[in-house]
Amino acid sequence: MASLATPTLKNPSSPSLSSKPRLPSALSALHFPPSHHHRRRFLIITASASSNKPTVLVAEKLSEAGLELLKQFADVDCSYNLSPEELCTKISLCDALIVRSGTKVNREVFESSGGRLKVVGRAGVGIDNVDLSAATEHGCLVVNAPTANTVAAAEHGIALLAAMARNVAQADASIKSGKWQRNKYVGVSLVGKTLAVLGFGKVGSEVARRAKGLGMHVIAHDPYAPADRARAIGVELVSFDEAIATADFISLHMPLTPATNKMLNDETFAKMKKGVRIVNVARGGVIDEEALVRALDDGIVAQAALDVFSEEPPKPDGKLVQHERVTVTPHLGASTVEAQEGVAIEIAEAVVGALKGELAATAVNAPMVPSEVLTELKPYVELAEKLGRLAVQLVAGGSGVKNVKVSYATARAPDDFDTRLLRAMITKGIIEPISSVFVNLVNADFTAKQRGLRITEERVLLDGSPESPLESIQVQIANVESKFASAMSETGEIRVEGRVKDGIPHLTKVGSFEVDVSLEGSIILCRQVDQPGMIGTVGSILGEENVNVSFMSVGRVAPRKHAVMAIGVDDQPSKESLKRIGEVPAIEEFVFLKL
Ligand SMILES: NC(=O)C1=CN([C@@H]2O[C@H](COP(=O)(O)OP(=O)(O)OC[C@H]3O[C@@H](n4cnc5c(N)ncnc54)[C@H](O)[C@@H]3O)[C@@H](O)[C@H]2O)C=CC1
Ligand SMILES: O=C(O)C(=O)COP(=O)(O)O
């Protein structure tokens, strides 16, 4: 047995929007987002769609094009400038929430939603205003619109760079106050100067490209940026210290994270070239603003141009905003007609997709699974959930489930076999029948951890052609007793095993008994003394009650010894008929399991 390697995803592809794969209705929503490097897909399972239209709360200004898209599918409530209390009150009536940077989607919002909120759409890039941990814990998908405002933000960065260097804002204000100060506003040239781009992602690289066009020497620092991307634009990647020590201009383009918070501070300002000029269109929090005021006053920083602030709006009389050598704009980086239309459409498609269970936009808090992997895994995803559901129903008592072992028999190499989806579905199958928690791909691991449910996985490496991703899945629950003793394996765990046959999940093993029943409808498992007539006896009890038997199979240890009969039924038999089955003399034990 090979141990399970951390799955890696292969061959991300460009999904055609016309062929959006969907999961079976019980599982509902599928989402396949593009990333900025390549399009990938991921899946999230939401509750089955209700007959009513979902409600989408749009809490900040969104372009008409996006609203139109949303209105075709949902009831749209555009309520701008809500107070935090009003947002918390409204959210319990909403299935999705769309925000920009001005709304704090904190834990309280998720808690107030009462489980109804399924998607938060961020109509832009930065998701530092959304509490991702809280979203994940509540099984709420967060999507953003990562590409449509890139150029707008880069153009604003360049606009601020040039405006700062030539004192445009200050000179404008001066003329408007009746002055004509040509000597006061002598600027500095950009050509030949060194620009350090900190954060060489989408916006940073577009800024670098444009700055090179202005004749600047561009260097960049980004611990995660691929060197070939920098090389392709003719930008040298350097260390943080080298970047800040050599730059005449610094432009910030990293996300606000605990690692980038106050990255520019007294210590780092002290390492900069005297007279450096700083542009920030990323997030205010990456600069220690009080330290920046000190650096300006000490002459380390000659000028700064800021579009973003640690607190927005900043205090109007604050030292930084009022500083003569500081140019400010009110978070306008993404505010062009074109970018706003782009993000509105991008986020509307993502949110509608998420609510519908189709291809959607970028997931921020869910693993992404490439489309071809998803399509291939679809029947196994269903199998995984049903095995989890069966296994937990076999536990006497149910809630003491702590240790689950999953074995995947596959001929696929570990890097060609992603189990996150299957694990999430097994978790869903195990947890949902014994609790009121809603489990999906977003919160499966978190929910399992929170409940003390330990799921270990192993891969049983098979010889042969790896054409199908999986031969079988086995789910074992250890350290519990079973209400159906025959479900116990020789080693004392509850054990069920299944495989996919002709695209349909089948139960193929219970304890040490081989069975074969398709996992549709519900199942009755009976252990009996193997003798003729048993199928007929049980079948006629069910028939009398008009319960349709879809499948029957008998797995025995040896002829005329014990056998386990698995009966698939379309409808739930009455208590009376289950009692009659139990009273058939040859039946030693039986259990009814809902799928
Ligand atoms: N002012 C505005 O209206 C707008 C602001 N933004 C902000 O611009 C920033 C960049 O956005 P994108 O380029 O779209 O994101 P991105 O994700 O494409 O790029 C961010 C880059 O920062 C890098 N990075 C992460 N930690 C770093 C660190 N410690 N030091 C240096 N680099 C680091 C990442 O590796 C990545 O390459 C974000 O903060 C975003 O919120 C984006 C659009 C509009
Ligand atoms: O996309 C981003 O990260 C932005 O900062 C844009 O913010 P906005 O949508 O204009 O509030």
Side-chain angles (χ1 to χ4, degrees), residues 128-146:
D128 44 285
N129 53 324
V130 180
D131 185 335
L132 288 183
S133 308
T136 304
E137 288 168 26
H138 287 81
C140 181
L141 177 73
V142 180
V143 288
N144 69 350

Side-chain angles (χ1 to χ4, degrees), residues 28 136 139 161 164 176 206 258 313 331 333 397 441 480 482 514 575:
S28 190
T136 304
L161 181 79
M164 172 177 69
K176 285 177 175 151
E206 289 303 323
H331 202 146
L441 186 57
V480 287
S482 178
E514 310 273 344
K575 276 192 181 149

Side-chain angles (χ1 to χ4, degrees), residues 39 55 157 161 268 314 404 440:
R39 287 172 78 97
T55 299
L161 181 79
T268 51
V404 174
N440 63 12

Side-chain angles (χ1 to χ4, degrees), residues 358-400:
E358 292 180 349
L359 304 182
T362 311
V364 177
N365 64 340
M368 297 188 210
V369 180
S371 60
E372 65 277 15
V373 172
L374 193 54
T375 307
E376 202 180 34
L377 282 184
K378 193 171 135 181
Y380 301 92
V381 162
E382 206 181 328
L383 173 66
E385 182 182 356
K386 290 188 168 171
L387 287 176
R389 208 167 267 277
L390 285 186
V392 78
Q393 288 180 73
L394 287 166
V395 177
S399 55

Side-chain angles (χ1 to χ4, degrees), residues 260-274:
T260 62
N261 189 29
K262 295 192 177 170
M263 222 174 154
L264 300 196
N265 50 41
D266 285 318
E267 201 183 317
T268 51
F269 282 127
K271 294 179 184 167
M272 291 178 192
K273 204 185 210 181
K274 201 164 164 37

